[in-house]
Amino acid sequence: MDIRILEIHSLDEAARVIESVGADPYAVPLMAPKALLRTLVLQGVDNRAANLIKQEMLALGGEAAVNRSVSSFCRGTSNVFIMGTERQCCHLLKKLATQPFGLKSWKAKLETALSHYRQHSYEIHCGKKRLKLGPRPLVMGIVNVTPDSFSDGGKYNDTDRAAVQAGLLAEQGAQIIDIGGESTRPGAKPVPAAEEINRVVPVIKRIVKTCRVPVSIDTYKPAVARAALDAGASLVNDITGLRYENGDMARVVSRFKVPVVLMHMQGMPRTMQKAPRYNDVVADIFDFFSERIAFALQHGINEEQIILDPGIGFGKTVDHNVELLRRISEFKALGRPLLIGTSRKYFIGAVTGAQPANERLAGSLASVLWSALQGVQVVRVHDVRETV
């Protein structure tokens, strides 16, 4: 066969293909943006502005879908679905800079979203340690100091065993160790903050003396986070996205100046799997992240210290989880590194037929590989050696 159909995912990839045919080096950067398709949705655009965007895209050889009310010049707003190459989108930005009806503001938003989408690497500061996130994902190793976690509950439920496991995961290649003292499996009951502190603090104190990698505290309780950070943890992994106890966690994170993982969860662990519903699971979580980032910034958290986790398995059906993985790259437009935690979860068993959690390694690794290819910067796993 003399014809191949290519899927181009980046400007660098487009440039390599163009160079491979022997094109003039001067032409490569001019042609590469023409090989990259961009599809963007703008929400709540003034109908007059929406009409102008459509006309400009058509003039550039692209396309824009708008609400039918736009063509009849009705007042109101429309979502706009832009379809064009990277080059056409860049030309559109120049056109919008001089247009009325709020299009200068939309130009700035589009410019930011496109810039974020192209970004592959970030840096966070965990105390004195700097971690570079991307393009190769960092591995976060899980240590559950609990009697009832879905995969390894009770296995590391004392300080000695938990510390040994943390050291082993670090030796195997984990760049972050995530310590949790309360199970968040579906149906799990919460434990008092004092009990959670008694579980995790001795482990953290032991680990920070022997491990050179940063330690994360997996908790949504401000009191637990405070105690863990005092004990030496340097990252907070909050499954509620700073929503618990009126957002008091934000004040803790801001005070300690540590990175924070903002995760999405519909409901709480005890009830989250009771008929979760979304209009569009990706769009709904995208809007959730936008609001949570704004909340974090308002409470003094440095935007460069924020990581986003869509919460696979937390208030989602199997179909929701698969859809999130399929479209995970859409969250890149938010401009923050992404974390994915799929390790040994139920949906992998539902898809592969591997029902016992400890038999879901192959599916877990497949989901990690897919996430890495889509631009995810951190993967949270039980099986560190196999993942790295």
Side-chain angles (χ1 to χ4, degrees), residues 6-15 17 32 35-38:
L6 306 183
E7 290 191 8
I8 303 296
H9 299 99
S10 70
L11 288 172
D12 288 342
E13 194 174 332
V17 174
L36 210 58
L37 180 66
R38 297 298 188 206

Side-chain angles (χ1 to χ4, degrees), residues 289-308:
F289 281 149
S290 296
E291 186 275 327
R292 288 289 86 194
I293 291 171
F295 177 88
L297 298 183
Q298 289 166 7
H299 286 77
I301 296 174
N302 185 342
E303 186 172 9
E304 294 184 359
Q305 294 284 71
I306 295 173
I307 300 169
L308 305 177

Side-chain angles (χ1 to χ4, degrees), residues 39-226:
T39 50
L40 307 93
V41 175
L42 285 59
Q43 299 182 57
V45 181
D46 182 291
N47 276 354
R48 296 167 297 179
N51 186 45
L52 286 173
I53 291 173
K54 181 173 181 65
Q55 298 309 316
E56 294 290 1
M57 282 304 295
L58 288 172
L60 290 166
E63 183 58 276
V66 298
N67 189 283
R68 68 187 69 177
S69 64
V70 171
S71 61
S72 57
F73 302 101
C74 296
R75 288 187 177 273
T77 61
S78 170
N79 290 351
V80 180
F81 177 34
I82 294 175
M83 296 160 273
T85 64
E86 174 89 6
R87 185 176 179 85
Q88 288 165 341
C89 288
C90 289
H91 281 304
L92 175 67
L93 293 175
K94 295 176 184 177
K95 298 278 188 178
L96 298 186
T98 59
Q99 299 284 11
F101 311 130
L103 282 172
K104 288 181 182 178
S105 174
W106 281 110
K107 182 253 185 187
K109 292 177 183 178
L110 274 168
E111 211 161 32
T112 299
L114 287 167
S115 175
H116 285 166
Y117 194 82
R118 298 184 200 108
Q119 188 169 349
H120 302 296
S121 300
Y122 299 85
E123 185 174 276
I124 59 172
H125 294 258
C126 299
K128 295 180 180 179
K129 298 181 177 72
R130 291 190 303 172
L131 290 182
K132 292 186 177 181
L133 311 183
R136 180 188 175 99
L138 263 64
V139 175
M140 174 186 277
I142 302 168
V143 179
N144 291 313
V145 193
T146 60
D148 56 345
S149 290
F150 82 94
S151 177
D152 55 6
K155 202 171 180 181
Y156 311 111
N157 196 25
D158 67 58
T159 301
D160 290 338
R161 283 186 291 173
V164 169
Q165 176 64 6
L168 178 62
L169 295 183
E171 287 178 12
Q172 292 176 349
Q175 290 119 322
I176 305 171
I177 301 296
D178 194 39
I179 304 294
E182 175 182 297
S183 173
T184 53
R185 61 179 171 76
K189 296 179 181 180
V191 301
E195 182 177 346
E196 193 176 341
I197 289 170
N198 288 336
R199 291 177 179 179
V200 301
V201 166
V203 176
I204 293 170
K205 286 182 176 179
R206 180 85 63 86
I207 293 172
V208 296
K209 291 178 181 178
T210 57
C211 288
R212 295 186 177 181
V213 302
V215 175
S216 165
I217 177 63
D218 178 6
T219 187
Y220 57 89
K221 300 185 184 79
V224 177
R226 195 176 296 113

